Amino acid sequence: MQHRAEARPESGSLTPAPATTPTPVWAAADGNVAEPPGSLQEYYCELCMEKSQEIKPFILHILQEVDEEIGKGLEGITVNIAGNSRLMMVERITGEDFWILCRILKNNPYINGLDVRYNRISDVGAYYAAKLLQKNTTLKHLRMTGNKIENKGGMFFATMLQINSSLEKLDLGDCDLGMQSVIAFATVLTQNQTIKGLNINRPILYGEQEESTVHLAHMLKENQCLVELHLSKHDIKNSGMKHLCDALYLNRCLRYLDISCNKITQDGMACLADILKSNTTLEVIDLSFNRIENAGANYLSDTLAAHNRTLKALSVVSNNIEGEGLVALSQSVKRNPTFSNIYIWGNKFDEATCVAYSDLIHMGHLKPDNTDVEPFVVDGHVYLAEVSNGLKRHYYWIPGYGEACSQSSNAGFSLVPIGQHL
């Protein structure tokens, strides 16, 4: 079967070089635009046949479900073509498939979300998506997680955000973005006042100067729209944490900050604890997989117990915290009526820790669904077992059974809902 040759966009400046855009197949011979077929399934099949492209049964199945939802009069539909589902047989889509999808979704009034995580969409697919969003006024949420669009693809999206005024949430986590595209996003978001949620986790960065963090901190000083920001695996150290905290003194809109899997220690926590004394907007902070230890936990617990009454959820999973720090955090939960969710698994539990969190749960200070530990007793001693709760426990993988988007396993997105669970 012959496949249409893809026009590969060029990398370089913030504005991508023009690429050949295929003519929509519904353009009639006389130049007028013909009406597309009545259903998305029919439209998809017609586009594939016109371009000698293979019809993917998985895409056809998803579009059939969307057609049924549209037929019921539903609006605000999210098209979920995730390539990592364990609940059904999937066939990962490519850049060519994504070009077809972009044509189908162009200004569809019923669809406002698209989830294509973990497929084989490269920088070429990113180019098509960015071109679609430059003119599209209906798509509000796009999740590209795990597609290796790299720095070139990231630049196409950064350019798009200079033009688009409707997209509210963009997920480019685990997409191999480069330093240039991360800085481009930080630059663009000093002006863009539409994006409320951005995930740029795990970029490919080189160097020890934390240049990207400096630019992101500057963006937070200027931006007054961003509510949710994910900066996991950015190699942020204490100096970068200080830049972010300096920005948070001025920022009055960010509610969810994810700085998990970085290199932040107790000194960074001293800065964060200080800002939390005056910041009245942050509600969820993910510090998982750093190294704050007892001293960092004590800084946070002192602030949460005596000063802050805004933070609702904190994850300190796997931070080398021992009993002293964990017990101190349990006391802040007891004293602070707003502080409702805490996640502590992966630290060094002693008996005092186990008793403290058992008491929190049994006395009603901490709901069982709002933590990742569950107490049990053996021979008169209290222990803690892990349970599948967290801020974004099922964000990067889909469980083999049960709900993937339950409130207890994705509490961060329930407390700060931006774009459903995208």
mmCIF file of all heavy atoms in Angstrom, residues 38 53 177 220 236 312:
data_model
loop_
_atom_site.group_PDB
_atom_site.id
_atom_site.type_symbol
_atom_site.label_atom_id
_atom_site.label_comp_id
_atom_site.label_asym_id
_atom_site.label_seq_id
_atom_site.Cartn_x
_atom_site.Cartn_y
_atom_site.Cartn_z
ATOM 1 N N GLY A 38 -21.693 12.298 7.400
ATOM 2 C CA GLY A 38 -22.500 12.553 8.585
ATOM 3 C C GLY A 38 -21.879 12.090 9.882
ATOM 4 O O GLY A 38 -22.184 12.623 10.931
ATOM 5 N N GLN A 53 -4.523 5.307 2.716
ATOM 6 C CA GLN A 53 -4.009 5.060 4.060
ATOM 7 C C GLN A 53 -4.787 3.920 4.705
ATOM 8 O O GLN A 53 -6.002 3.789 4.515
ATOM 9 C CB GLN A 53 -4.154 6.334 4.907
ATOM 10 C CG GLN A 53 -3.535 6.214 6.284
ATOM 11 C CD GLN A 53 -2.480 7.258 6.512
ATOM 12 O OE1 GLN A 53 -1.727 7.591 5.584
ATOM 13 N NE2 GLN A 53 -2.413 7.776 7.712
ATOM 14 N N LEU A 177 11.419 16.806 25.333
ATOM 15 C CA LEU A 177 11.630 18.209 24.991
ATOM 16 C C LEU A 177 13.068 18.610 25.310
ATOM 17 O O LEU A 177 13.704 18.031 26.190
ATOM 18 C CB LEU A 177 10.671 19.101 25.780
ATOM 19 C CG LEU A 177 9.171 18.837 25.621
ATOM 20 C CD1 LEU A 177 8.385 19.787 26.517
ATOM 21 C CD2 LEU A 177 8.743 18.992 24.178
ATOM 22 N N LEU A 220 6.575 32.619 36.008
ATOM 23 C CA LEU A 220 5.611 32.606 37.108
ATOM 24 C C LEU A 220 5.430 33.992 37.730
ATOM 25 O O LEU A 220 4.371 34.290 38.288
ATOM 26 C CB LEU A 220 6.050 31.605 38.178
ATOM 27 C CG LEU A 220 5.903 30.120 37.811
ATOM 28 C CD1 LEU A 220 6.502 29.232 38.890
ATOM 29 C CD2 LEU A 220 4.425 29.765 37.597
ATOM 30 N N ILE A 236 16.009 20.010 39.154
ATOM 31 C CA ILE A 236 15.973 21.215 39.990
ATOM 32 C C ILE A 236 16.716 20.950 41.300
ATOM 33 O O ILE A 236 16.477 19.957 41.977
ATOM 34 C CB ILE A 236 14.512 21.618 40.288
ATOM 35 C CG1 ILE A 236 13.766 21.934 38.987
ATOM 36 C CG2 ILE A 236 14.465 22.821 41.231
ATOM 37 C CD1 ILE A 236 12.285 22.165 39.176
ATOM 38 N N LYS A 312 -3.824 22.028 50.738
ATOM 39 C CA LYS A 312 -4.709 20.900 51.014
ATOM 40 C C LYS A 312 -4.001 19.557 50.925
ATOM 41 O O LYS A 312 -4.376 18.616 51.630
ATOM 42 C CB LYS A 312 -5.876 20.907 50.020
ATOM 43 C CG LYS A 312 -6.768 22.126 50.105
ATOM 44 C CD LYS A 312 -7.856 22.064 49.037
ATOM 45 C CE LYS A 312 -8.754 23.294 49.088
ATOM 46 N NZ LYS A 312 -9.789 23.259 48.016
#
